[in-house]
Amino acid sequence: MSDFTMNADHPGLAMDRGVQGVLGAGLDRSEGALKVSGTARYGYEHLVEGEVAYGYLITAPAAKGKVTGIDTDAARALPDVLDIIVDDPRIPRQAAAFGPAHAGNDEIDHWDQVVGVAVATSFEAARAAAKAVRVHVAIEPGHFDTMADIDKASGPPKDSRLQDIAKGDIDAAMAQAAVTIDQVYTTPNHVHAAMEPHASVAIWEGDSLTLHSSLQILKVARPVLAKALGIADDKVRILSPYIGGGFGGKMLGPDAVLAAIAAQKLGRPVKIAMARRQLFHNVYRRTDTNQRIRLAATEDGKLLAVGHDSVVSQGPDGGFMEPVALGSISLYDAPVRHFSHKVVTLDMVMAGAVRAPGEAVGTLALETAMDEMAEALGRDPIDFRKLNEPKVDPMTGAPFSTRGLVACLDRGAEAFGWAKRSAQPGQVREGEWLIGMGVSAAVRINLLVDSEARVTLSPDGRARIETDMTDIGTGSYTILAQIAGEALGLPMERIDVILGDTDLPPGAGSGGSFGAASAGSSVALACEDIVATLAERMGAKAQDMTLKDGHAVAGNRRVPLAELVGDAPLVAMGKISQGSNARTFSQAAHGAQFAEVAVNAVTGEARVRRMLGVFEAGRILNAKLARSQAIGGMIWGIGYALMEEAVLDQRHGQFVNQDLGEYHVPSHADVPPLDVLFLEEIDTHANPIGVKGLGELSISGAGAAVTNAIYNACGVRVRDFPLTLDKILAGLPEM
Amino acid sequence: MHFTINGATHAVEPDIRASLLDVLREHLGLTGTKKGCDHGQCGACTVLVNGRRINACLTLAVMHQDDDILTIEGLGSAEHLHPLQAAFIKHDGYQCGYCTPGQICSAVGMLDEVAKGWPSHVSADLETVTLDGAEISERMSGNLCRCSAYPNIVDAIAEVAGAERA
């Protein structure tokens, strides 16, 4: 076992000495042919031996109240119905995250709450049966308006990642400063909207459950599922080899628990896919936010105070808090700092993690305010940010592990043609269209979590990587092979990567942008042991041995790896754990986002014409896949800036736009060509392989770049996201 | 009833409520066609029926007596890729891969529509359609991709169609 804790930098990996030339290369996705040919099997598509039954979730048409009865007679009388399960105390009310969801269907605590499952021999029959069930609710008035209940708000939960932080007196700083900005920005509820719904197939053998599902962190999902079912962890195996998008939402859906309950009761495999509309109300959302930003500066542009105080909402079970100010805390230098959060409890589906909890919405507000402050000071927004660049973490005084913000701003300004931007809004016009440019900083805290992997070098000279790490579209299959290939001197086609199975060593899973750093480090560490054994057999020091194309070279000898391995495979475990480096260094990934937007002077419609993201995210493991992940995040930024909003009906507590036709995610026509540049800097303080998170960094600041460009185009500042055309039009001059 | 799928005739007795999508996935084992929304809003289930692209979730299987249906599995296999499938790999026109079969089938149908001279909302000229990036984006907007591989998807399609990207 090669076990390493980040209490210090790793002294140097075989991967770093590698000459195979696969690490960092823009290689195609390993599983590409399976995905484009439709032969990659996602959880629900698992071929079940024997007769499978279909489940369809039964939900309640109310947001709050007591269940007075569930009438199942009509449903049970329908053809092909096997069972209507509404009386099991384990029925989960909604999706789970890090612990089981509240169970039991005697009470309703959010709209469309799951109360049971209809099971039949076909999907059609199960759906018809579920719709035929009548759930009677004594409806009680609910609370659905965050700001209406602000007086009942609580502070951050004890176990929240972020607690309230204050340094200096912000009220005094605001009162005394030459220039101040004090504005409130609001963002709406958001949903993950992964293309694949939460879906599971449950199969029991005796008292052991196998679940084929779509889950992103298996080592968390397994104990949560076991607890929800009341069985031991080791009686549960979960497989998720392919996952049709996660974005934080695929922790454990009610489909998984109910498929297991139904399969157990019926004694046959059961599969359940959540309907799209059920996802909107039964998978945790990203909370709405109300963010007050306070900035105080001297006349020559030095920040004196930064305040970011937010109100967010949560469902009745509490727990997670959207850490809105997470990225703001260490972004700019200022002696006075104030970051706080209030949580209002609503009768709604839980709030939870959606891509980049904190920064995704926090940067919309902070980076708009920075644009407003730059204008108030009469300074260029890039120069203003550079002027307030901290030398060390402005909150803790810790050194940055790496800090590329200024370099990203400078590189981006040059590549994007920032010098052509008119400082005064509304100066560039092409027919009906007003053209503007905007910029934003991007930041995302960097995480590392425990992760294990097994690497086996076989007598045939092939390597096999095994971990329950997942690939949710992030490229895990490919990058883990690239890491091992570089370390062991093997071409990609001689490496097999097996993921997404709890029978394998527990990996990081996908979330918090920690996947590549954590799982990748565990693979690199396992390779250390194999390389050490190979060196020993070569009679050389590992540092003096070169591994390339399946051969070891040392001294004057070139020996095939197969020969060195001999008859018994070399098996090695690698494990990475977070250590004191997390406190010794302030760790974050950084970037700069640029957008050019056209605003229609007649209709207020905003169209993004081009974007550039420049990112410093440590080592880039695969240039092609990294770029793809970056453009994906930038496009989420377009969505948050211009269209995404789950609209809550204040009378009944339901989202009125509960499908993909009405909840608008960006589509092809919303997206222009995008450019991405990476300023690669290997961050050895962060983890052994020197990578930092990218998937969440790329959404950070992207929306603010778009909305700052809208202001530059037409002079209309909207602080209520998203900037739909009606809000822009209201600020445009009469024609 | 009978229909042809990927060149082979199938005799099926679908539930009259069953969508073409569910019959493909649950009865014929053709799970390459994906269910994203079941409401015709995401495009993940796009297949070609008699050469035209449709959302398989919005049509009942019983409506397709004698129809000729092409799914992603019929377009090419992992070993013998259709040029669009190969281009999606080369340009990384996907991440999680769930919308991908629908994107590719939709692109096949879309390119045929362009070849027939059908204009779109962004066509400058209703008589002569020139395929470029904007045309591709407009015509592919029925296929959502939450990973947001859109620029790469357009690059892949443009390359196969020999279209200007910009």
Side-chain angles (χ1 to χ4, degrees):
Chain A
M1 166 75 93
S2 184
D3 193 337
F4 191 82
T5 302
M6 282 308 290
N7 289 326
D9 294 7
H10 193 277
L13 294 161
M15 182 192 85
D16 296 317
R17 302 189 300 271
V19 294
Q20 188 63 32
V22 291
L23 193 67
L27 304 178
D28 295 341
R29 246 167 247 274
S30 306
E31 77 287 13
L34 298 178
K35 283 181 174 172
V36 301
S37 63
T39 43
R41 282 196 183 274
Y42 296 73
Y44 188 79
E45 298 162 359
H46 174 74
L47 288 174
V48 181
E49 285 178 33
E51 282 200 280
V52 67
Y54 290 81
Y56 196 98
L57 301 183
I58 302 164
T59 60
K64 186 173 172 61
K66 297 267 187 301
V67 174
T68 55
I70 301 179
D71 184 356
T72 63
D73 291 349
R76 289 181 196 278
L78 290 171
D80 303 323
V81 174
L82 296 170
D83 205 349
I84 308 292
I85 300 173
V86 292
D87 55 358
D88 192 301
R90 300 172 296 178
I91 292 169
R93 294 183 180 177
Q94 57 183 300
F98 289 88
H102 203 98
N105 58 8
D106 51 333
E107 277 182 70
I108 301 301
D109 62 26
H110 67 277
W111 180 267
D112 207 35
Q113 176 182 307
V114 175
V115 295
V117 63
V119 194
T121 56
S122 73
F123 170 74
E124 294 77 26
R127 180 179 56 193
K131 303 281 182 198
V133 173
R134 288 288 162 266
V135 183
H136 302 285
V137 183
I139 295 175
E140 297 163 17
H143 293 253
F144 312 119
D145 183 341
T146 304
M147 295 313 289
D149 282 350
I150 183 69
D151 56 330
K152 288 180 224 146
S154 51
K158 280 195 182 62
D159 56 353
S160 175
R161 182 178 291 287
L162 202 54
Q163 298 298 319
D164 290 348
I165 307 168
K167 191 172 166 183
D169 184 342
I170 194 162
D171 293 323
M174 290 292 288
Q176 290 158 15
V179 188
T180 59
I181 295 288
D182 186 351
Q183 291 288 356
V184 171
Y185 306 82
T186 57
T187 65
N189 285 288
H190 293 138
V191 299
H192 307 91
M195 296 306 297
E196 181 200 24
H198 292 54
S200 299
V201 183
I203 304 166
W204 288 89
E205 281 178 64
D207 61 353
S208 292
L209 171 69
T210 301
L211 188 84
H212 300 266
S213 191
S214 180
L215 300 171
Q216 60 187 82
I217 307 182
L218 300 192
K219 73 175 175 191
V220 174
R222 183 193 200 189
V224 173
L225 177 58
K227 197 171 175 189
L229 294 171
I231 61 176
D233 291 4
D234 63 4
K235 297 293 182 191
V236 175
R237 181 184 182 193
I238 303 177
L239 295 102
S240 285
Y242 298 103
I243 296 138
F247 314 114
K250 296 261 180 79
M251 292 299 283
L252 188 76
D255 52 297
V257 182
L258 280 164
I261 290 172
Q264 192 175 35
K265 189 170 180 207
L266 293 169
R268 65 193 274 186
V270 171
K271 60 197 294 191
I272 302 176
M274 291 180 73
R276 179 57 61 179
R277 286 182 164 226
Q278 294 172 342
L279 295 167
F280 275 76
H281 289 113
N282 286 293
V283 177
Y284 44 88
R285 65 201 152 92
R286 188 200 300 279
T287 174
D288 54 318
T289 71
N290 180 292
Q291 306 179 44
R292 181 186 185 191
I293 303 281
R294 282 176 287 180
L295 300 174
T298 63
E299 272 174 20
D300 51 3
K302 183 71 198 69
L303 280 172
L304 299 170
V306 176
H308 194 166
D309 301 294
S310 304
V311 183
V312 300
S313 69
Q314 180 51 285
D317 287 355
F320 174 91
M321 178 192 82
E322 177 88 18
V324 180
L326 197 57
S328 307
I329 293 171
S330 305
L331 194 53
Y332 298 114
D333 195 34
V336 176
R337 318 180 70 77
H338 195 276
F339 306 101
S340 74
H341 296 74
K342 287 189 178 354
V343 185
V344 174
T345 302
L346 299 179
D347 299 302
M348 286 181 70
V349 61
M350 300 277 287
V354 183
R355 194 175 194 167
E359 290 92 335
V361 285
T363 54
L364 292 174
L366 178 69
E367 289 299 288
T368 303
M370 286 295 285
D371 202 63
E372 294 188 52
M373 179 55 110
E375 189 186 40
L377 291 163
R379 283 191 167 267
D380 177 84
I382 293 178
D383 291 341
F384 171 53
R385 286 177 173 84
K386 287 165 67 175
L387 190 63
N388 291 287
E389 170 72 3
K391 290 188 171 59
V392 295
D393 188 306
M395 204 70 235
T396 64
F400 293 111
S401 61
T402 63
R403 170 99 180 175
L405 177 57
V406 168
C408 289
L409 287 164
D410 284 342
R411 181 77 185 85
E414 183 193 341
F416 199 68
W418 183 255
K420 288 189 225 127
R421 172 183 178 267
S422 164
Q424 197 185 341
Q427 298 303 300
V428 183
R429 185 162 184 149
E430 295 175 12
E432 285 183 6
W433 295 90
L434 296 159
I435 317 298
M437 285 190 208
V439 68
S440 170
V443 63
R444 173 65 182 164
I445 57 153
N446 191 59
L447 302 173
L448 182 72
V449 302
D450 288 2
S451 197
E452 295 179 42
R454 178 166 55 230
V455 177
T456 304
L457 188 60
S458 302
D460 62 0
R462 292 186 70 83
R464 182 181 174 90
I465 299 166
E466 295 169 300
T467 163
D468 83 351
M469 176 66 190
T470 51
D471 188 331
I472 61 173
T474 38
S476 309
Y477 281 110
T478 314
I479 58 157
L480 296 181
Q482 287 177 277
I483 289 166
E486 199 67 26
L488 302 176
L490 288 173
M492 291 289 280
E493 59 272 16
R494 287 171 69 175
I495 303 168
D496 302 308
V497 181
I498 316 298
L499 303 178
D501 180 350
T502 52
D503 274 0
L504 303 176
S510 303
S513 292
F514 51 61
S518 308
S521 290
S522 70
V523 169
L525 290 166
C527 290
E528 289 299 290
D529 277 4
I530 291 183
V531 171
T533 304
L534 293 174
E536 196 181 300
R537 294 181 183 180
M538 282 293 282
K541 287 182 184 165
Q543 296 90 315
D544 301 332
M545 178 178 69
T546 303
L547 297 170
K548 188 163 196 297
D549 295 332
H551 289 76
V553 181
N556 290 321
R557 297 171 63 215
R558 182 171 188 270
V559 184
L561 292 187
E563 193 177 305
L564 286 176
V565 171
D567 293 335
L570 299 181
V571 184
M573 293 291 297
K575 182 181 180 188
I576 183 70
S577 303
Q578 183 59 289
S580 61
N581 268 23
R583 297 178 296 279
T584 309
F585 298 96
S586 174
Q587 296 184 22
H590 305 93
Q593 307 263 16
F594 294 81
E596 181 180 301
V597 172
V599 177
N600 190 292
V602 180
T603 66
E605 178 185 5
R607 309 281 304 174
V608 181
R609 304 223 300 191
R610 62 191 181 101
M611 280 184 88
L612 167 67
V614 187
F615 302 109
E616 173 260 310
R619 184 199 294 273
I620 299 301
L621 296 166
N622 180 313
K624 180 183 285 190
L625 273 52
R627 176 185 172 277
S628 294
Q629 215 177 12
I631 62 172
M634 291 162 70
I635 293 166
W636 275 57
I638 294 175
Y640 280 15
L642 300 182
M643 61 197 79
E644 284 196 41
E645 175 176 20
V647 180
L648 195 68
D649 182 332
Q650 288 295 328
R651 298 166 302 171
H652 305 296
Q654 69 165 317
F655 292 129
V656 291
N657 53 343
Q658 51 191 301
D659 58 44
L660 296 175
E662 299 296 327
Y663 180 93
H664 290 167
V665 302
S667 73
H668 273 283
D670 297 312
V671 179
L674 304 179
D675 289 323
V676 176
L677 295 169
F678 293 111
L679 302 185
E680 189 169 8
E681 185 172 0
I682 296 170
D683 189 344
T684 52
H685 302 316
N687 50 72
I689 59 173
V691 312
K692 289 202 279 207
L694 182 60
E696 298 178 314
L697 172 66
S698 52
I699 185 175
S700 177
V706 170
T707 53
N708 288 341
I710 289 173
Y711 178 76
N712 183 245
C714 67
V716 179
R717 185 73 74 180
V718 179
R719 301 182 184 90
D720 174 27
F721 289 84
L723 274 65
T724 45
L725 74 182
D726 52 314
K727 297 176 192 170
I728 298 172
L729 189 61
L732 287 173
E734 293 288 332
M735 295 301 290
Chain B
M1 64 173 286
H2 299 264
F3 45 49
T4 302
I5 301 177
N6 302 330
T9 303
H10 290 262
V12 290
E13 284 184 52
D15 187 311
I16 55 163
R17 300 165 296 185
S19 67
L20 176 59
L21 173 62
D22 284 322
V23 168
L24 288 172
R25 284 171 63 83
E26 304 302 330
H27 298 276
L28 301 172
L30 294 169
T31 54
T33 306
K34 304 302 184 190
K35 184 185 281 192
C37 70
D38 221 8
H39 273 66
Q41 297 171 333
C42 77
C45 64
T46 306
V47 297
L48 295 148
V49 175
N50 304 326
R52 286 185 63 175
R53 52 177 174 162
I54 64 165
N55 289 323
C57 73
L58 282 190
T59 189
L60 296 171
V62 291
M63 296 162 68
H64 292 282
Q65 173 73 26
D66 297 330
D67 277 349
D68 188 8
I69 297 159
L70 184 68
T71 72
I72 191 72
E73 291 93 344
L75 206 58
S77 66
E79 295 74 30
H80 301 283
L81 297 169
H82 181 279
L84 272 167
Q85 292 172 321
F88 268 63
I89 295 175
K90 176 183 168 188
H91 291 279
D92 209 37
Y94 58 147
Q95 288 178 40
C96 79
Y98 199 76
C99 76
T100 311
Q103 299 274 358
I104 292 171
C105 286
S106 187
V108 171
M110 181 273 288
L111 292 175
D112 184 55
E113 292 159 17
V114 172
K116 287 175 178 155
W118 297 2
S120 83
H121 172 65
V122 299
S123 303
D125 182 340
L126 296 184
E127 300 302 323
T128 312
V129 175
T130 307
L131 194 66
D132 58 12
E135 280 280 359
I136 295 171
S137 293
E138 170 64 22
R139 291 164 185 265
M140 290 297 294
S141 279
N143 290 84
L144 299 177
C145 170
R146 186 53 156 166
C147 300
S148 301
Y150 298 121
N152 295 355
I153 293 170
V154 176
D155 285 346
I157 296 170
E159 180 179 279
V160 171
E164 288 292 321
R165 177 64 175 87

